[in-house]
Amino acid sequence: MMDKFPLPKSIDEIRVLVVDNQALIHDLAKSALLELGVRQVSSAQNAYHALRLCEKFQFDVVLLAFNVSNDKDGFHLFEELKHNNYISDKTTVVFLSAETSASLVNCIIELQPDDFWVKPLDKKRIQKRFEYLINVRRKLHKVMHCMDSADYSAAIYHAERGLTDSSLVEYHPRLKRMIGECLLQLREYGSAERYFTNLKNDYDHAWVNIGLVRSLFKQDKVLEAELLAEDLLQRPDTRFLTYDLLAQYYISKEQFDIAYEQVKAASKLAPRNIERNKKLWDLARLNRDKYGQLDAVQNMAKYAKNSIHDSPELSLNVVRTMVDLAASVTGAESEKLQRKIHKEILAVDTSDTSEPSLGNKLLVIKARVESIKNNKKSAEKMLKDNLNKEITMNLEDNLDLMKAYHELGMKEECLAILDSLRSQLEGDTLVSQVVDEYLKREEIERREIKFTTKELKEMAAVNYRENRILPAFNNLCQAMTLSPQDKSIAFSLLKVLVHINKKEPLDDAQFSIAQTAADLLNKDTLVPGQQQKRDEYLHALGMSEVQADAG
């Protein structure tokens, strides 16, 4: 039995690492821990030093300040320590911070440390919390060992025994939480629902409510889950976790428009998570929100800086997304974006990188920019003469090349890439599911629509001026398919439909398109001039703003 459940280390065997850029914190922590009997306390004043120490020693407890130093913050350092297996589920991790903003607390909670200590610290509080955390490891070690080994049934058995031990009363809430986690891991969702429902009578903690919502969604009890989620979105301690849970559920059900709104809300509350920002980017692409795409990739590049996620690829994705946007807008906005793109290309082109495929990637981006400028022959020549097809390209590289071919009207080359792209998706993750759905829609649109959003808008404008109203309408319908969040297209569609309606009443399909355009313009805030123009169009079509909203 001793071999199966090895006892935790004694207090004098525990090795502690304190990571903070304030000497006072090191002195205070070391003094407090020495009085408790801790004999091995190491100090690091920056992330670099912390990593070097972790290469030499295996620490049992890490006290980690969120603001470490300029080289890497605590969030990034924690990710790197975990990535390198310097800390594991058996390591007790405590975050330290003087800042308690909601976004920072959400980000820390998401990392699931064992505790969060708010500065300024004092000796008595350090000792009290440290003793509690060490006792959790010592007194609940059988349950924690089983959970670390993914033996959840055994973990429940030992946790339930612990609940009958009066000496563990202080730890009963933690044991109950462990039981709930194990039931979810075992996929016993009906049992989990009953368990969390009963717990709610005594505990109104965030983990109880979130566990209950998760178990309801897993059983597709959507109405019950959504009702409870509505209440939890009003609570500061559950809002962020609820948005994240809702997003996971709606993605699993392929309700990507609803999932997108949930992920946007979660990202605002905890903006540093790179994987969530990647999911946000994928959902923005799927929902054809090009401004949302740009926001997501810019956040990824911003928050990945100095982290294990940092790479030249993130900067390239920002440029690519700017090109996507520039290819969908016209006039001054497109020209402004093109100037920004030129600066970003120069910055990436002159950066110190040994990546052999960088030249290929930049070539595709430059060709797309030339295409936006209507220098299509030059762009096509660039690709035919200089593209190295022997270099292996990743999913994003091939997506960008597919767009370049499409913008140049090279349909066969475009569709050939589409046919091979799905093989690059790995696994059955939520992200791969979103990207796969995106590729399905891309394939339909690339096969049926030959032009970019920008080109279709320009063609519609020419056709409208030449009084070719139905061709203008068809151009705009295709443009709206590619960019369904573009308000300028919605305005143009309503203007054209007003013209059509003067000659003969709109048919059902045309009225439905008018409804879609009106809904988009009613959803977003418009300046007074735009509001007036929208209302004029809706009045001319016999549609009030209320009717549009009702649609």
Side-chain angles (χ1 to χ4, degrees):
M1 205 66 170
M2 288 292 290
D3 290 334
K4 187 176 181 182
F5 300 112
L7 287 172
K9 295 177 181 178
S10 62
I11 195 81
D12 60 331
E13 294 176 314
I14 290 173
R15 190 182 289 275
V16 179
L17 173 62
V18 183
V19 188
D20 199 296
N21 58 5
Q22 296 177 320
L24 180 64
I25 295 295
H26 290 283
D27 294 341
L28 183 63
K30 186 169 288 190
S31 172
L33 297 178
L34 283 171
E35 286 185 12
L36 290 178
V38 180
R39 295 287 173 260
Q40 302 177 83
V41 182
S42 299
S43 295
Q45 293 196 334
N46 57 51
Y48 176 82
H49 190 197
L51 288 164
R52 299 293 78 80
L53 285 170
C54 287
E55 287 175 357
K56 294 180 181 179
F57 307 108
Q58 184 69 49
F59 292 97
D60 305 294
V61 181
V62 178
L63 308 183
L64 177 57
F66 191 82
N67 295 314
V68 183
S69 65
N70 293 330
D71 62 341
K72 205 180 295 285
D73 66 22
F75 189 96
H76 290 148
L77 178 56
F78 177 87
E79 287 189 314
E80 191 162 348
L81 292 173
K82 203 164 187 178
H83 177 76
N84 292 332
N85 294 318
Y86 294 149
I87 57 177
S88 67
D89 292 335
K90 294 181 175 64
T91 312
T92 297
V93 179
V94 178
F95 264 97
L96 318 174
S97 178
E99 186 186 339
T100 57
S101 66
S103 62
L104 183 140
V105 171
N106 285 333
C107 289
I108 290 176
I109 288 172
E110 193 169 15
L111 295 175
Q112 295 185 318
D114 293 88
D115 213 350
F116 176 37
W117 298 352
V118 179
K119 297 178 182 179
L121 303 175
D122 63 72
K123 185 181 287 189
K124 286 186 178 179
R125 192 153 62 91
I126 290 174
Q127 291 175 336
K128 182 179 179 182
R129 292 305 302 167
F130 187 87
E131 283 189 304
Y132 174 81
L133 292 170
I134 293 304
N135 282 332
V136 166
R137 294 279 176 185
R138 179 175 290 120
K139 296 184 178 182
L140 308 185
H141 73 280
K142 290 183 180 180
V143 183
M144 298 181 87
H145 178 84
C146 292
M147 290 185 74
D148 291 342
S149 306
D151 189 353
Y152 300 112
S153 296
I156 291 173
Y157 169 77
H158 289 291
E160 288 177 339
R161 288 191 65 182
L163 291 175
T164 65
D165 187 342
S166 59
S167 69
L168 297 179
V169 169
E170 184 180 4
Y171 308 100
H172 282 185
R174 188 175 283 259
L175 285 167
K176 290 175 180 179
R177 181 171 184 171
M178 289 172 166
I179 291 172
E181 290 172 5
C182 290
L183 288 171
L184 291 170
Q185 289 288 345
L186 290 167
R187 301 184 181 183
E188 294 181 9
Y189 302 123
S191 298
E193 178 195 347
R194 291 188 292 275
Y195 179 76
F196 287 119
T197 300
N198 290 332
L199 275 184
K200 268 178 69 70
N201 296 325
D202 300 312
Y203 301 99
D204 194 30
H205 298 321
W207 60 268
V208 177
N209 289 283
I210 294 297
L212 179 55
V213 174
R214 181 174 279 114
S215 63
L216 289 168
F217 271 132
K218 288 294 186 180
Q219 298 173 85
D220 283 328
K221 295 183 176 181
V222 182
L223 288 177
E224 293 174 59
E226 287 182 331
L227 279 172
L228 179 54
E230 282 180 20
D231 292 335
L232 299 183
L233 289 175
Q234 307 305 314
R235 289 176 46 167
D237 64 329
T238 53
R239 186 177 299 129
F240 159 66
L241 294 169
T242 304
Y243 277 129
D244 220 31
L245 185 57
L246 288 167
Q248 292 176 40
Y249 175 76
Y250 289 120
I251 288 174
S252 71
K253 295 301 177 182
E254 299 186 6
Q255 293 177 265
F256 299 114
D257 53 340
I258 304 174
Y260 180 40
E261 296 304 318
Q262 309 303 325
V263 176
K264 274 198 289 188
S267 294
K268 286 179 182 176
L269 293 172
R272 304 179 68 93
N273 187 295
I274 300 302
E275 288 304 316
R276 184 181 297 103
N277 278 310
K278 175 68 169 67
K279 191 185 296 182
L280 183 61
W281 182 32
D282 288 330
L283 286 166
R285 290 196 283 194
L286 190 56
N287 285 279
R288 296 294 187 264
D289 182 359
K290 291 184 169 58
Y291 292 97
Q293 291 175 45
L294 186 55
D295 285 342
V297 291
Q298 286 176 330
N299 276 339
M300 286 169 67
K302 173 184 173 183
Y303 290 114
K305 200 162 183 63
N306 296 325
S307 79
I308 56 172
H309 306 285
D310 201 357
S311 76
E313 194 72 24
L314 292 176
S315 298
L316 279 172
N317 286 339
V318 172
V319 183
R320 287 165 171 162
T321 309
M322 284 182 178
V323 176
D324 289 344
L325 184 54
S328 68
V329 297
T330 56
E333 187 176 4
S334 181
E335 291 170 6
K336 183 180 177 181
L337 278 164
Q338 288 174 47
R339 288 193 293 271
K340 284 185 179 178
I341 291 164
H342 179 68
K343 289 181 181 177
E344 294 288 341
I345 289 174
L346 283 176
V348 175
D349 213 353
T350 55
S351 63
D352 182 21
T353 177
S354 57
E355 188 182 356
S357 63
L358 181 64
N360 250 21
K361 297 173 183 184
L362 288 173
L363 176 69
V364 173
I365 291 171
K366 290 172 183 176
R368 292 190 66 198
V369 173
E370 287 300 302
S371 183
I372 291 170
K373 295 177 180 176
N374 287 324
N375 299 331
K376 296 207 172 187
K377 288 185 178 179
S378 171
E380 187 173 344
K381 189 174 188 306
M382 285 171 67
L383 291 178
K384 286 184 175 178
D385 293 350
N386 301 300
L387 188 67
N388 187 343
K389 295 184 179 179
E390 294 180 3
I391 290 179
T392 302
M393 297 172 74
N394 64 27
L395 179 69
E396 294 302 332
D397 299 337
N398 278 324
L399 276 173
D400 210 35
L401 182 58
M402 177 203 71
K403 292 171 187 174
Y405 283 144
H406 179 258
E407 288 156 3
L408 290 169
M410 300 169 69
K411 188 173 181 179
E412 287 184 12
E413 291 87 344
C414 171
L415 296 179
I417 292 180
L418 261 172
D419 290 337
S420 65
L421 272 171
R422 284 201 193 89
S423 64
Q424 293 186 272
L425 293 177
E426 297 179 2
D428 189 28
T429 64
L430 293 182
V431 171
S432 68
Q433 183 184 357
V434 170
V435 176
D436 186 53
E437 182 65 24
Y438 168 70
L439 290 179
K440 287 177 186 174
R441 295 190 187 183
E442 282 286 307
E443 185 165 12
I444 293 169
E445 290 167 10
R446 301 296 176 187
R447 289 184 189 279
E448 296 179 358
I449 301 174
K450 298 179 181 179
F451 304 100
T452 66
T453 303
K454 181 181 178 181
E455 289 170 332
L456 288 164
K457 287 160 79 172
E458 290 170 348
M459 291 161 64
V462 171
N463 280 326
Y464 185 81
R465 283 199 303 270
E466 299 294 330
N467 205 32
R468 296 190 292 268
I469 304 304
L470 282 177
F473 173 68
N474 292 331
N475 295 150
L476 290 168
C477 286
Q478 289 190 331
M480 184 60 93
T481 299
L482 296 176
S483 301
Q485 305 299 322
D486 191 321
K487 289 186 289 188
S488 68
I489 299 174
F491 272 113
S492 297
L493 270 169
L494 290 179
K495 180 171 73 172
V496 168
L497 286 166
V498 166
H499 202 95
I500 293 172
N501 192 53
K502 287 178 181 177
K503 295 184 177 180
E504 57 183 69
L506 301 182
D507 60 31
D508 290 343
Q510 290 168 338
F511 187 82
S512 176
I513 289 167
Q515 191 81 56
T516 300
D519 288 345
L520 175 61
L521 296 178
N522 288 328
K523 181 175 69 174
D524 292 329
T525 303
L526 304 176
V527 298
Q530 290 177 323
Q531 291 174 5
Q532 182 181 349
K533 186 61 69 176
R534 175 200 62 193
D535 294 344
E536 287 175 5
Y537 290 151
L538 295 182
H539 180 73
L541 292 170
M543 301 167 63
S544 69
E545 188 175 337
V546 174
Q547 285 175 325
D549 281 331

